[in-house]
Amino acid sequence: MANLTLLDVAKLNGNDKTVGLIEENLAYAPELSVFPVIQKAGTSYYTVKRTGFPSVGFRGANEGITPSKSTYAKQLHECYVLAGAVNVDKAVATAYDGGMAELEMIEASGVAKSSVIYLGAQIWYGTDTKGFPGIKALVAKTDTLGHDAGGTTATTASSIYGVKFGVQDAALVFGNGTTLDLSPFADQQLFDSNGKAYAGRVANLTAWVGLQVGNANCVGRIANVTADSGKGCTDALLSAWLEKFPVGYRPDAIFMSRRSAGQLQRSRSVTIMNTSGGKVAGNVENIAPWPTSAFDIPIVVTDSIGNTDAIE
């Protein structure tokens, strides 16, 4: 069964304005197009994960077995307030050629774009300490699903992430029964940098957002991917990393920067032949296509993942 994404949940909520704002800006943070979304009425919730299985084994005739049971652990997940405000000078809005409503929607699209870009980066880096932790901090290169590409040039590193999605694995959580909630524009007095008042139009964007990482096997990371010779993204690097994932936890998507995707493309050889077995003449590009998958796992290329990380 396919997972519901941010856009799907917004459509189900029936808010046409929100749907439009999300749909036109998802391209700027493509991870939000594939991460599943769990919607909650509150702003925090518990999940229960199995930490141990009942023991089983063969037995002989007329022999008993020792009864056992699963063990479980509760995990608290929280949503954090993502906020943005749109202020428009009312005089400017009324004088706008397209009318006040059009200018307000232009500004609303701007705050929505900023929100999805900010949220995309938070998923990986967790830079804003008032928000949820990012996946990078959850997977060290020495962890079971961590891997070291071996780059050494300072502040030129990137990471590649593998994520398994699901209600018991990785998902975004939107609380308070909403997704990205933009209030209607309303008249409000605004103040300039000198504290002088003027009439304005104001709207506020609010979302309660959290990131659920349900277990240690649903996220993995390759660290220290750089432009150093032999330290970029290749199929061999991805293969060595993917073999660390337990059976049943194969990633549903691999996320990487544009530089990593370009490295992977150039590492893949291709020879274009004509029907008689010779090379095709002319301007046919003798290079592999832009990578969209590796080992049948979709690749999502995103600018939310940078190339200026410190070497770990």
Side-chain angles (χ1 to χ4, degrees):
M1 180 178 178
N3 295 307
L4 295 178
T5 64
L6 176 60
L7 183 59
D8 295 327
V9 173
K11 289 179 178 179
L12 290 173
N13 288 347
N15 188 330
D16 292 338
K17 179 175 66 175
T18 299
V19 169
L21 291 174
I22 293 173
E23 193 165 26
E24 69 176 294
N25 290 295
L26 278 179
Y28 300 104
E31 48 272 274
L32 299 185
S33 297
V34 293
F35 258 79
V37 165
I38 301 171
Q39 192 171 45
K40 295 291 182 180
T43 58
S44 64
Y45 68 102
Y46 283 96
T47 57
V48 178
K49 63 179 181 180
R50 193 193 309 266
T51 57
F53 289 87
S55 59
V56 299
F58 293 102
R59 70 173 183 87
N62 301 315
E63 291 180 353
I65 58 170
T66 302
S68 61
K69 62 180 181 179
S70 296
T71 56
Y72 300 91
K74 291 178 68 175
Q75 185 174 6
L76 175 65
H77 301 277
E78 296 184 80
C79 298
Y80 301 80
V81 181
L82 177 69
V86 185
N87 295 341
V88 181
D89 187 323
K90 187 173 182 179
V92 173
T94 54
Y96 182 69
D97 285 344
M100 180 184 294
E102 182 176 321
L103 181 59
E104 288 175 351
M105 285 310 300
I106 291 173
E107 291 298 321
S109 179
V111 75
K113 177 180 177 180
S114 181
S115 296
V116 298
I117 291 173
Y118 199 82
L119 186 54
Q122 186 73 14
I123 289 172
W124 309 116
Y125 294 105
T127 305
D128 192 331
T129 57
K130 294 182 180 179
F132 53 81
I135 292 177
K136 181 182 178 184
L138 300 178
V139 190
K141 69 175 185 178
T142 54
D143 287 350
T144 303
L145 298 185
H147 196 75
D148 188 1
T152 57
T153 301
T155 65
T156 66
S158 186
S159 290
I160 297 171
Y161 299 86
V163 183
K164 179 172 175 57
F165 302 132
V167 294
Q168 294 182 326
D169 297 300
L172 286 171
V173 183
F174 280 80
N176 204 31
T178 63
T179 53
L180 297 179
D181 183 27
L182 184 69
S183 70
F185 278 84
D187 289 338
Q188 184 172 314
Q189 193 172 58
L190 302 176
F191 297 88
D192 64 16
S193 57
N194 297 314
K196 295 182 179 181
Y198 63 97
R201 296 282 290 169
V202 177
N204 291 284
L205 183 140
T206 306
W208 284 88
V209 194
L211 175 64
Q212 172 188 298
V213 178
N215 61 80
N217 292 322
C218 66
V219 290
R221 180 170 74 95
I222 304 176
N224 298 329
V225 183
T226 68
D228 299 330
S229 178
K231 308 304 179 184
C233 180
T234 65
D235 283 310
L237 176 70
L238 294 174
S239 175
W241 168 57
L242 289 170
E243 73 179 22
K244 296 182 176 183
F245 284 79
V247 172
Y249 285 95
R250 179 181 173 89
D252 292 313
I254 296 172
F255 298 85
M256 63 180 65
S257 71
R258 283 182 289 124
R259 186 186 73 182
S260 294
Q263 291 170 342
L264 180 60
Q265 179 189 30
R266 292 186 293 275
S267 75
R268 293 176 169 178
S269 60
V270 60
T271 302
I272 302 173
M273 310 295 287
N274 59 28
T275 55
S276 60
K279 284 191 67 175
V280 176
N283 61 354
V284 178
E285 295 174 342
N286 189 19
I287 189 171
W290 187 254
T292 57
S293 66
F295 308 102
D296 295 325
I297 302 173
I299 291 174
V300 180
V301 179
T302 173
D303 284 344
S304 301
I305 299 174
N307 300 313
T308 58
D309 295 350
I311 296 297
E312 300 174 40

